[in-house]
Short mmCIF file of all heavy atoms in Angstrom, two decimals:
data_model
loop_
_atom_site.label_atom_id
_atom_site.label_comp_id
_atom_site.label_asym_id
_atom_site.label_seq_id
_atom_site.Cartn_x
_atom_site.Cartn_y
_atom_site.Cartn_z
N TYR A 183 -7.30 8.11 10.19
CA TYR A 183 -6.21 7.29 10.64
C TYR A 183 -5.05 7.53 9.61
O TYR A 183 -5.44 7.51 8.38
CB TYR A 183 -6.52 5.85 10.74
CG TYR A 183 -7.53 5.47 11.86
CD1 TYR A 183 -8.17 4.36 11.84
CD2 TYR A 183 -7.77 6.36 12.94
CE1 TYR A 183 -9.16 3.98 12.84
CE2 TYR A 183 -8.60 6.01 13.96
CZ TYR A 183 -9.32 4.89 13.86
OH TYR A 183 -10.25 4.57 14.87
N PHE A 185 -0.94 6.72 8.17
CA PHE A 185 0.09 5.69 8.18
C PHE A 185 1.21 6.11 7.38
O PHE A 185 1.13 6.87 6.41
CB PHE A 185 -0.48 4.37 7.62
CG PHE A 185 -1.68 3.83 8.31
CD1 PHE A 185 -2.99 4.37 7.91
CD2 PHE A 185 -1.70 2.81 9.18
CE1 PHE A 185 -4.14 3.91 8.46
CE2 PHE A 185 -2.88 2.38 9.79
CZ PHE A 185 -4.06 2.89 9.39
N TYR A 187 4.26 3.99 5.36
CA TYR A 187 4.79 2.63 4.91
C TYR A 187 6.08 2.84 4.21
O TYR A 187 6.32 3.89 3.58
CB TYR A 187 3.83 1.93 3.97
CG TYR A 187 2.70 1.19 4.65
CD1 TYR A 187 1.58 1.93 5.03
CD2 TYR A 187 2.70 -0.13 5.01
CE1 TYR A 187 0.54 1.29 5.63
CE2 TYR A 187 1.63 -0.88 5.55
CZ TYR A 187 0.54 -0.07 5.96
OH TYR A 187 -0.51 -0.74 6.60
N GLN A 189 8.90 0.94 1.30
CA GLN A 189 9.01 -0.11 0.44
C GLN A 189 10.48 -0.14 -0.03
O GLN A 189 10.97 0.73 -0.70
CB GLN A 189 8.15 0.19 -0.86
CG GLN A 189 8.17 -1.01 -1.86
CD GLN A 189 7.21 -0.77 -2.99
OE1 GLN A 189 6.92 0.33 -3.36
NE2 GLN A 189 6.77 -1.90 -3.61
N ASN A 192 11.99 -4.26 -4.73
CA ASN A 192 11.50 -5.57 -5.00
C ASN A 192 10.78 -6.32 -3.83
O ASN A 192 10.83 -7.46 -3.73
CB ASN A 192 12.55 -6.49 -5.58
CG ASN A 192 13.24 -6.00 -6.83
OD1 ASN A 192 12.41 -5.53 -7.77
ND2 ASN A 192 14.51 -5.96 -6.96
N GLN A 193 10.26 -5.40 -2.94
CA GLN A 193 9.52 -5.95 -1.80
C GLN A 193 8.23 -5.34 -1.67
O GLN A 193 7.98 -4.29 -2.35
CB GLN A 193 10.37 -5.75 -0.52
CG GLN A 193 11.73 -6.43 -0.47
CD GLN A 193 12.38 -6.20 0.89
OE1 GLN A 193 11.76 -6.01 1.84
NE2 GLN A 193 13.66 -6.39 0.85
N GLY A 194 7.34 -5.81 -0.83
CA GLY A 194 6.14 -5.22 -0.51
C GLY A 194 6.24 -4.11 0.46
O GLY A 194 7.38 -3.83 0.95
N LEU A 195 5.19 -3.44 0.78
CA LEU A 195 5.27 -2.38 1.76
C LEU A 195 5.25 -2.79 3.17
O LEU A 195 4.56 -3.81 3.52
CB LEU A 195 3.95 -1.41 1.57
CG LEU A 195 4.12 -0.48 0.41
CD1 LEU A 195 4.01 -1.16 -0.93
CD2 LEU A 195 3.08 0.65 0.54
N LEU A 197 4.91 -1.48 7.34
CA LEU A 197 4.38 -0.41 8.23
C LEU A 197 5.60 0.16 8.99
O LEU A 197 6.32 -0.51 9.60
CB LEU A 197 3.36 -0.92 9.09
CG LEU A 197 2.80 0.16 10.08
CD1 LEU A 197 1.90 1.18 9.33
CD2 LEU A 197 2.00 -0.49 11.22
N LYS A 200 1.91 4.48 12.74
CA LYS A 200 0.47 4.83 12.48
C LYS A 200 -0.01 5.78 13.50
O LYS A 200 0.43 5.76 14.64
CB LYS A 200 -0.33 3.57 12.51
CG LYS A 200 -0.42 2.83 13.87
CD LYS A 200 -1.21 1.59 13.86
CE LYS A 200 -1.15 0.87 15.29
NZ LYS A 200 -1.99 -0.37 15.32
N THR A 202 -3.53 6.94 15.29
CA THR A 202 -4.97 6.49 15.49
C THR A 202 -5.63 7.30 16.47
O THR A 202 -6.45 6.77 17.32
CB THR A 202 -4.94 4.95 15.83
OG1 THR A 202 -4.24 4.83 17.12
CG2 THR A 202 -4.40 4.16 14.74
N PHE A 241 5.62 5.72 1.66
CA PHE A 241 4.29 6.08 1.28
C PHE A 241 3.43 6.44 2.48
O PHE A 241 3.49 5.89 3.51
CB PHE A 241 3.58 4.77 0.61
CG PHE A 241 4.10 4.43 -0.64
CD1 PHE A 241 5.17 3.54 -0.79
CD2 PHE A 241 3.57 4.88 -1.84
CE1 PHE A 241 5.71 3.12 -1.96
CE2 PHE A 241 4.09 4.49 -2.95
CZ PHE A 241 5.19 3.61 -3.08
N ILE A 248 -13.69 4.86 11.87
CA ILE A 248 -14.00 3.47 12.11
C ILE A 248 -14.65 2.82 10.97
O ILE A 248 -14.22 1.73 10.52
CB ILE A 248 -14.92 3.32 13.43
CG1 ILE A 248 -14.29 3.90 14.59
CG2 ILE A 248 -15.42 1.97 13.53
CD1 ILE A 248 -13.05 3.11 15.09
N ALA A 251 -12.14 2.42 8.18
CA ALA A 251 -10.82 2.04 8.57
C ALA A 251 -10.23 0.91 7.73
O ALA A 251 -9.07 0.64 7.70
CB ALA A 251 -10.81 1.62 9.98
N GLN A 252 -11.12 0.23 6.94
CA GLN A 252 -10.61 -0.89 6.28
C GLN A 252 -10.03 -0.52 4.85
O GLN A 252 -9.44 -1.40 4.21
CB GLN A 252 -11.73 -1.88 5.93
CG GLN A 252 -12.29 -2.44 7.34
CD GLN A 252 -13.19 -1.56 8.02
OE1 GLN A 252 -13.74 -0.48 7.53
NE2 GLN A 252 -13.40 -1.78 9.32
N LYS A 253 -10.17 0.74 4.46
CA LYS A 253 -9.76 1.09 3.10
C LYS A 253 -8.71 2.25 3.23
O LYS A 253 -8.97 3.27 3.59
CB LYS A 253 -10.96 1.53 2.36
CG LYS A 253 -10.66 1.88 0.92
CD LYS A 253 -11.98 2.20 0.23
CE LYS A 253 -11.86 2.74 -1.18
NZ LYS A 253 -13.19 2.91 -1.83
N LEU A 254 -7.48 1.98 2.78
CA LEU A 254 -6.49 2.96 2.76
C LEU A 254 -6.27 3.55 1.40
O LEU A 254 -6.38 2.85 0.36
CB LEU A 254 -5.07 2.30 3.20
CG LEU A 254 -4.93 1.74 4.57
CD1 LEU A 254 -3.53 1.36 4.86
CD2 LEU A 254 -5.36 2.80 5.58
N PHE A 256 -3.39 5.63 -0.69
CA PHE A 256 -1.89 6.00 -0.55
C PHE A 256 -1.55 7.22 -1.36
O PHE A 256 -2.20 7.50 -2.42
CB PHE A 256 -1.14 4.76 -1.06
CG PHE A 256 -1.18 3.60 -0.15
CD1 PHE A 256 -2.07 2.63 -0.21
CD2 PHE A 256 -0.09 3.49 0.76
CE1 PHE A 256 -2.04 1.51 0.63
CE2 PHE A 256 0.01 2.36 1.58
CZ PHE A 256 -1.01 1.47 1.53
N GLN A 258 1.50 9.20 -3.64
CA GLN A 258 2.26 8.78 -4.79
C GLN A 258 3.58 8.23 -4.36
O GLN A 258 4.33 7.62 -5.25
CB GLN A 258 2.37 9.92 -5.74
CG GLN A 258 1.13 10.24 -6.52
CD GLN A 258 0.72 9.13 -7.49
OE1 GLN A 258 0.04 8.23 -7.22
NE2 GLN A 258 1.29 9.09 -8.70
N ARG B 192 5.82 -14.70 -8.55
CA ARG B 192 6.51 -13.46 -8.24
C ARG B 192 6.70 -12.74 -9.58
O ARG B 192 6.64 -11.54 -9.56
CB ARG B 192 7.88 -13.76 -7.62
CG ARG B 192 7.83 -14.26 -6.23
CD ARG B 192 7.20 -13.15 -5.26
NE ARG B 192 7.80 -11.86 -5.36
CZ ARG B 192 8.92 -11.50 -4.86
NH1 ARG B 192 9.60 -12.34 -4.16
NH2 ARG B 192 9.39 -10.27 -5.03
N TYR B 214 -9.50 -9.27 6.52
CA TYR B 214 -9.61 -8.46 5.32
C TYR B 214 -8.58 -8.87 4.37
O TYR B 214 -7.38 -9.20 4.71
CB TYR B 214 -9.40 -7.02 5.64
CG TYR B 214 -10.66 -6.33 6.33
CD1 TYR B 214 -10.88 -6.39 7.70
CD2 TYR B 214 -11.62 -5.62 5.59
CE1 TYR B 214 -11.98 -5.84 8.21
CE2 TYR B 214 -12.75 -5.07 6.14
CZ TYR B 214 -13.00 -5.25 7.43
OH TYR B 214 -13.99 -4.69 8.02
N PHE B 216 -6.91 -7.50 0.49
CA PHE B 216 -6.87 -6.29 -0.51
C PHE B 216 -6.01 -6.71 -1.70
O PHE B 216 -4.99 -7.32 -1.45
CB PHE B 216 -6.27 -5.11 0.18
CG PHE B 216 -6.94 -4.61 1.48
CD1 PHE B 216 -6.66 -5.19 2.71
CD2 PHE B 216 -7.87 -3.57 1.41
CE1 PHE B 216 -7.34 -4.84 3.83
CE2 PHE B 216 -8.50 -3.11 2.52
CZ PHE B 216 -8.22 -3.77 3.84
N TYR B 218 -4.01 -4.55 -4.59
CA TYR B 218 -3.54 -3.30 -5.09
C TYR B 218 -2.71 -3.55 -6.29
O TYR B 218 -2.05 -4.55 -6.56
CB TYR B 218 -2.62 -2.61 -4.01
CG TYR B 218 -3.34 -1.90 -2.88
CD1 TYR B 218 -3.72 -2.66 -1.72
CD2 TYR B 218 -3.61 -0.62 -3.01
CE1 TYR B 218 -4.30 -1.95 -0.68
CE2 TYR B 218 -4.25 0.10 -1.90
CZ TYR B 218 -4.58 -0.66 -0.75
OH TYR B 218 -5.22 0.03 0.30
N GLN B 220 0.35 -1.46 -8.60
CA GLN B 220 1.38 -0.32 -8.52
C GLN B 220 1.95 -0.14 -9.85
O GLN B 220 2.54 -1.15 -10.46
CB GLN B 220 2.43 -0.74 -7.54
CG GLN B 220 3.39 0.43 -7.20
CD GLN B 220 4.48 0.13 -6.22
OE1 GLN B 220 4.94 -0.94 -6.09
NE2 GLN B 220 4.86 1.17 -5.38
N ARG B 224 0.52 5.70 -12.10
CA ARG B 224 -0.61 5.82 -11.21
C ARG B 224 -0.45 5.44 -9.75
O ARG B 224 -1.32 5.61 -8.92
CB ARG B 224 -1.78 4.93 -11.71
CG ARG B 224 -2.11 5.27 -13.15
CD ARG B 224 -3.18 4.31 -13.78
NE ARG B 224 -4.43 4.40 -13.11
CZ ARG B 224 -5.42 5.18 -13.50
NH1 ARG B 224 -5.26 5.92 -14.66
NH2 ARG B 224 -6.55 5.30 -12.83
N LEU B 226 -0.05 3.49 -6.29
CA LEU B 226 -0.71 2.39 -5.67
C LEU B 226 -2.22 2.59 -5.78
O LEU B 226 -2.74 3.51 -5.16
CB LEU B 226 -0.31 2.22 -4.20
CG LEU B 226 0.85 1.38 -3.88
CD1 LEU B 226 1.35 1.63 -2.51
CD2 LEU B 226 0.55 -0.13 -4.07
N LEU B 228 -6.01 0.76 -5.23
CA LEU B 228 -6.81 -0.22 -4.61
C LEU B 228 -7.78 -0.78 -5.67
O LEU B 228 -8.59 -0.01 -6.20
CB LEU B 228 -7.58 0.17 -3.35
CG LEU B 228 -8.50 -0.80 -2.69
CD1 LEU B 228 -7.73 -1.95 -2.17
CD2 LEU B 228 -9.37 -0.16 -1.63
N ASP B 239 -15.85 -3.90 -1.80
CA ASP B 239 -15.69 -2.68 -2.65
C ASP B 239 -14.76 -3.04 -3.81
O ASP B 239 -13.61 -3.37 -3.67
CB ASP B 239 -15.09 -1.55 -1.92
CG ASP B 239 -14.98 -0.20 -2.74
OD1 ASP B 239 -15.27 -0.25 -3.93
OD2 ASP B 239 -14.68 0.86 -2.12
N PHE B 274 -0.11 -6.31 -5.73
CA PHE B 274 0.11 -6.66 -4.35
C PHE B 274 -1.11 -7.09 -3.75
O PHE B 274 -2.19 -6.56 -3.89
CB PHE B 274 0.63 -5.42 -3.56
CG PHE B 274 2.07 -4.98 -3.90
CD1 PHE B 274 2.27 -3.87 -4.62
CD2 PHE B 274 3.11 -5.69 -3.27
CE1 PHE B 274 3.61 -3.59 -4.94
CE2 PHE B 274 4.40 -5.38 -3.56
CZ PHE B 274 4.61 -4.24 -4.33
N ASN B 283 -9.05 -1.00 17.93
CA ASN B 283 -8.93 0.43 17.70
C ASN B 283 -9.30 0.90 16.31
O ASN B 283 -9.23 2.02 16.00
CB ASN B 283 -7.62 1.01 18.14
CG ASN B 283 -6.51 0.45 17.15
OD1 ASN B 283 -6.81 -0.24 16.22
ND2 ASN B 283 -5.24 0.81 17.40
N GLY B 284 -9.71 -0.12 15.46
CA GLY B 284 -10.23 0.18 14.19
C GLY B 284 -9.09 0.56 13.14
O GLY B 284 -9.44 0.72 11.97
N ALA B 285 -7.87 0.63 13.60
CA ALA B 285 -6.75 1.05 12.65
C ALA B 285 -6.43 -0.26 11.87
O ALA B 285 -5.97 -1.24 12.46
CB ALA B 285 -5.61 1.60 13.33
N ASN B 286 -6.55 -0.20 10.58
CA ASN B 286 -6.36 -1.34 9.78
C ASN B 286 -5.00 -1.43 9.30
O ASN B 286 -4.66 -0.73 8.31
CB ASN B 286 -7.35 -1.30 8.66
CG ASN B 286 -7.65 -2.71 8.18
OD1 ASN B 286 -7.56 -3.70 8.80
ND2 ASN B 286 -8.25 -2.78 6.96
N VAL B 287 -4.10 -2.14 9.98
CA VAL B 287 -2.68 -2.30 9.58
C VAL B 287 -2.59 -3.31 8.60
O VAL B 287 -2.75 -4.51 8.89
CB VAL B 287 -1.81 -2.55 10.73
CG1 VAL B 287 -0.33 -2.68 10.31
CG2 VAL B 287 -1.90 -1.39 11.78
N LEU B 288 -2.26 -2.98 7.34
CA LEU B 288 -2.11 -3.96 6.22
C LEU B 288 -0.71 -4.57 6.24
O LEU B 288 0.28 -3.87 6.44
CB LEU B 288 -2.29 -3.19 4.92
CG LEU B 288 -3.69 -3.07 4.38
CD1 LEU B 288 -4.50 -2.27 5.34
CD2 LEU B 288 -3.78 -2.55 2.98
N PHE B 290 1.58 -6.56 3.63
CA PHE B 290 1.71 -6.73 2.20
C PHE B 290 2.50 -7.96 1.86
O PHE B 290 3.45 -8.33 2.56
CB PHE B 290 2.33 -5.56 1.49
CG PHE B 290 1.41 -4.42 1.36
CD1 PHE B 290 1.11 -3.53 2.48
CD2 PHE B 290 0.89 -4.09 0.07
CE1 PHE B 290 0.30 -2.46 2.27
CE2 PHE B 290 -0.04 -3.04 -0.08
CZ PHE B 290 -0.34 -2.22 1.03
N GLY B 291 2.08 -8.65 0.75
CA GLY B 291 2.98 -9.68 0.15
C GLY B 291 4.11 -9.01 -0.63
O GLY B 291 4.07 -7.78 -0.74
#
Side-chain angles (χ1 to χ4, degrees):
Chain A
Y183 293 159
F185 306 79
Y187 281 81
Q189 184 180 28
N192 300 314
Q193 295 186 28
L195 280 71
L197 180 69
K200 63 182 180 183
T202 59
F241 293 89
I248 296 294
Q252 296 77 19
K253 184 175 175 178
L254 293 187
F256 286 88
Q258 286 291 95
Chain B
R192 289 295 313 277
Y214 283 87
F216 303 80
Y218 280 87
Q220 186 178 37
R224 302 174 68 91
L226 271 164
L228 176 63
D239 185 350
F274 287 103
N283 66 3
N286 208 19
V287 177
L288 272 62
F290 282 78

